[in-house]
Amino acid sequence: MSNPIHRKEPKIQRAQRKNQNGFLFVLFASLTLCVLFSGASAQSTHPTSAPTTKPDPAAVTTDHQITIAGKPIHYKATAGTITLKSDDGKPRATMFFVSYSKSDPTPDPSARPITYIFNGGPGAASVWLHLGAVGPRRISLNPDGSPPAPPYHLVDNDQTWLDLTDLVFIDPVGTGFSRPAEGVKADQFFGVDPDIATVAEFIRLYTTKYERWSSPKFLAGESYGTTRAAGLSEYLLDHTGIALNGILFISTVLDFSTLHIDDNNTLPYALNLPTYTAAAWYHKRLSANLQSHDLQTLVRDAQHWSLSVYLPALLQGDKLPNDTRKQIISQLSQYTSLSPALIEQQNFRIGPSFFEKHLLADQRQIIGRFDSRLTGYSTDTEEPWPEYDPSLSLYYPLYTSTFNDYIRRELKYESDLTYEVLSPRVGPWNFGQEGGGYLNVATRLRSALAKNPHMKLLFAAGFYDLATPFATVDYTIDHLNLSPELRKNITQTYYPAGHMLYHPHASLIKLKSDLAPFFQSATTRPAQDSQ
């Protein structure tokens, strides 16, 4: 999950929305151009006189069974921590994880892939992917992905990835049960590059401790977790000697210029439009002509118009002829269902939060940012921005309560710490852009792909995601500047869902079906290598 700030809002309102959304993140989710909770670190900054090195607490392993595609699979679940240390052996942090591995003996670890998984934020624990889509147990949702009334519970996840790969869910420092060591300043972990280095060190230590160096290795990230994964792809290769077989990007943000709206960047207005069209279509707000189209055809038409007509018009600024301006506003009204007068008022530049507030304003409803299908009651009709995100507030307690029950009652792991699902401990995030510009880790991914041309990439995007709109992902991939051969390593998939695209049951099933051939292609050795 994540919480990208790509909105043009007053500073006070922007700060309020940061706190309301938790994210990037995302998010959730997240992500983002700011943090889920921009609260700040709650860790002590006073050094202790003589920190001592302590062994990791004993991990707890339990045995389980699940049936996938009619076949029973026995597996082990392990919950524990790994201690990260400085060069002098002093603890820097403990990182919590939950891993799952098939119990069936395999003669060679190279026959069994392993996937390291994390969410985004910055500040989100891995629980979203863990209990939402990937693990052997998942939250119980209504078929359309909406949450039921409490109390919540888990069910066996027959769409788990466990038949394809072993799984390791990682909580970055400050999230979940992961904490800085006593006396270590927490904020040293809260930035793009420190975060990448920290998670890479965890992966190296886990790979060593659990003897997985010969296994095919994958990453899976959501929202800002995709930012982290792209950075890790090159860092792991260059600093630890780990060459990845593949990466799964879910609700992606790599180039933050595609999200961050300001006076000098109009690109996001054009890239957001197709998602506005999807939301308006879902809520049946479009004209009869457009409403009759199927979703995929409609959003692709909107995307083509947005990039070929709308974006060039935005780039003309004040030089845009008045007649052309009127035509643009008329077409924007068609694709968004907002009135021409309202679009004119916004200088034909519609930001996501404005759209969330106004699409169903006549019904006194706001739509969700993480999932524009979901709606909530607007408590303040005078406020131009959404007061909250109904697609986050409905899910946060669901994930929190089910994980806290699951980790203790089923996995037998005990801790008095608060499991930080969306962490207030993760303070202001250093995006490394002090000199201006926007973070863009797509360049690191391109470099990693050039150095490791066997690595496969899968990008999954939801049509109803207003946090990381699908057209921003398309744009980023189309501007990776790859050779035709390397471009063949990339697969893109789309879902009639939001940021957490696995919430609707049909999308959860589709995601699993898309992953099976991906893992197969990423672990199949060329004929000359298998001899």
Side-chain angles (χ1 to χ4, degrees):
M1 200 84 226
S2 60
N3 189 29
I5 319 178
H6 48 283
R7 313 165 183 274
K8 196 169 185 179
E9 306 176 20
K11 290 183 179 178
I12 294 176
Q13 179 65 29
R14 195 180 305 161
Q16 290 172 341
R17 283 191 48 85
K18 291 183 198 174
N19 291 330
Q20 290 164 353
N21 284 344
F23 244 48
L24 218 150
F25 4 17
V26 281
L27 144 266
F28 257 78
S30 206
L31 203 73
T32 63
L33 305 180
C34 105
V35 267
L36 278 175
F37 291 93
S38 54
S41 65
Q43 299 295 316
S44 170
T45 59
H46 300 291
T48 56
S49 56
T52 57
T53 302
K54 298 179 181 179
D56 292 321
V60 179
T61 298
T62 50
D63 293 304
H64 307 266
Q65 178 180 325
I66 189 171
T67 299
I68 305 174
K71 297 179 180 180
I73 291 181
H74 297 272
Y75 67 92
K76 293 184 180 295
T78 300
T81 60
I82 285 181
T83 298
L84 278 57
K85 301 174 183 177
S86 57
D87 291 341
D88 60 5
K90 295 178 181 178
R92 295 184 60 240
T94 56
M95 291 183 65
F96 179 74
F97 70 92
V98 177
S99 66
Y100 301 94
S101 58
K102 283 183 66 176
S103 300
D104 305 333
T106 55
D108 182 356
S110 66
R112 182 68 177 162
I114 186 169
T115 302
Y116 295 97
I117 304 159
F118 33 76
N119 273 86
S126 61
V127 64
W128 305 92
L129 284 174
H130 186 173
L131 298 186
V134 183
R137 300 277 281 164
R138 66 173 175 84
I139 55 174
S140 177
L141 297 173
N142 298 321
D144 66 354
S146 61
Y152 311 112
H153 67 281
L154 299 178
V155 296
D156 280 350
N157 182 14
D158 60 359
Q159 302 302 315
T160 179
W161 303 359
L162 189 54
D163 56 332
L164 304 174
T165 173
D166 290 341
L167 308 166
V168 183
F169 295 92
I170 304 170
D171 289 339
V173 177
T175 73
F177 291 137
S178 300
R179 300 289 189 272
E182 184 179 357
V184 175
K185 292 184 178 180
D187 58 6
Q188 68 178 268
F189 300 99
F190 303 153
V192 176
D193 291 325
D195 173 73
I196 289 170
T198 301
V199 175
E201 178 64 0
F202 173 91
I203 291 173
R204 184 192 70 80
L205 289 169
Y206 184 97
T207 301
T208 300
K209 182 174 182 177
Y210 290 92
E211 300 180 344
R212 301 306 297 262
W213 277 97
S214 62
S215 298
K217 298 175 187 64
F218 292 81
L219 302 179
E222 179 182 352
S223 199
Y224 183 85
T226 64
T227 310
R228 178 184 293 124
L232 281 167
S233 66
E234 184 176 39
Y235 189 96
L236 286 170
L237 191 66
D238 291 347
H239 293 267
T240 68
I242 292 177
L244 297 170
N245 289 75
I247 307 177
L248 300 102
F249 296 91
I250 299 174
S251 302
T252 305
V253 54
L254 305 183
D255 179 356
F256 282 68
S257 72
T258 63
L259 294 182
H260 192 142
I261 291 173
D262 60 36
D263 291 339
N264 297 317
N265 184 29
T266 57
L267 176 63
Y269 291 116
L271 297 179
N272 288 336
L273 176 65
T275 302
Y276 300 163
T277 303
W281 179 88
Y282 179 83
H283 292 287
K284 296 180 170 54
R285 305 292 288 191
L286 300 176
S287 65
N289 178 45
L290 292 182
Q291 198 66 49
S292 66
H293 287 67
D294 68 271
L295 174 62
Q296 191 146 184
T297 299
L298 179 64
V299 297
R300 291 307 181 189
D301 287 346
Q303 185 177 19
H304 175 74
W305 177 84
S306 185
L307 293 178
S308 62
V309 179
Y310 182 34
L311 181 58
L314 289 169
L315 295 177
Q316 289 187 54
D318 294 340
K319 289 186 177 181
L320 184 69
N322 193 50
D323 288 347
T324 304
R325 179 187 178 93
K326 290 180 179 179
Q327 293 172 8
I328 296 292
I329 290 175
S330 175
Q331 192 61 53
L332 279 173
S333 179
Q334 289 290 309
Y335 277 132
T336 64
S337 82
L338 301 182
S339 71
L342 195 60
I343 295 171
E344 176 68 58
Q345 183 186 82
Q346 295 296 306
N347 193 23
F348 71 99
R349 291 160 170 80
I350 307 299
S353 57
F354 187 87
F355 183 77
E356 293 158 24
K357 179 75 173 189
H358 288 86
L359 177 65
L360 303 178
D362 60 337
Q363 301 174 16
R364 198 165 179 177
Q365 295 284 305
I366 55 177
I367 65 171
R369 176 164 170 253
F370 292 116
D371 190 336
S372 62
R373 299 174 307 144
L374 301 180
T375 61
Y377 179 71
S378 178
T379 59
D380 185 352
T381 57
E382 299 300 317
E383 174 57 58
W385 319 108
E387 305 91 285
Y388 63 101
D389 182 356
S391 60
L392 176 60
S393 60
L394 289 169
Y395 292 98
Y396 175 63
L398 190 163
Y399 278 93
T400 301
S401 62
T402 53
F403 183 86
N404 275 286
D405 177 68
Y406 173 63
I407 193 67
R408 294 174 173 86
R409 191 162 56 85
E410 295 190 33
L411 300 191
K412 310 302 181 185
Y413 186 86
E414 294 295 333
S415 175
D416 290 334
L417 294 175
T418 299
Y419 187 83
E420 302 288 4
V421 172
L422 292 172
S423 180
R425 297 173 181 274
V426 176
W429 198 258
N430 181 2
F431 283 88
Q433 301 302 111
E434 291 83 356
Y438 307 100
L439 174 65
N440 183 7
V441 294
T443 56
R444 307 189 195 190
L445 181 63
R446 179 180 62 212
S447 178
L449 196 55
K451 297 172 184 176
N452 176 18
H454 298 295
M455 183 171 64
K456 308 293 185 181
L457 311 176
L458 187 147
F459 292 85
F463 285 131
Y464 299 119
D465 178 9
L466 282 165
T468 56
F470 75 91
T472 66
V473 185
D474 291 352
Y475 181 90
T476 300
I477 293 172
D478 290 342
H479 290 80
L480 279 175
N481 191 24
L482 296 172
S483 69
E485 284 303 310
L486 289 178
R487 181 65 188 244
K488 294 177 182 177
N489 289 22
I490 296 176
T491 301
Q492 291 181 257
T493 60
Y494 304 88
Y495 306 81
H499 194 71
M500 292 77 86
L501 53 84
Y502 39 81
H503 278 167
H505 195 249
S507 294
L508 179 69
I509 294 172
K510 175 175 163 35
L511 177 63
K512 176 62 179 293
S513 67
D514 291 335
L515 288 178
F518 172 76
F519 274 100
Q520 179 66 32
S521 67
T523 54
T524 300
R525 296 177 180 176
Q528 64 270 23
D529 292 345
S530 59
Q531 295 176 355

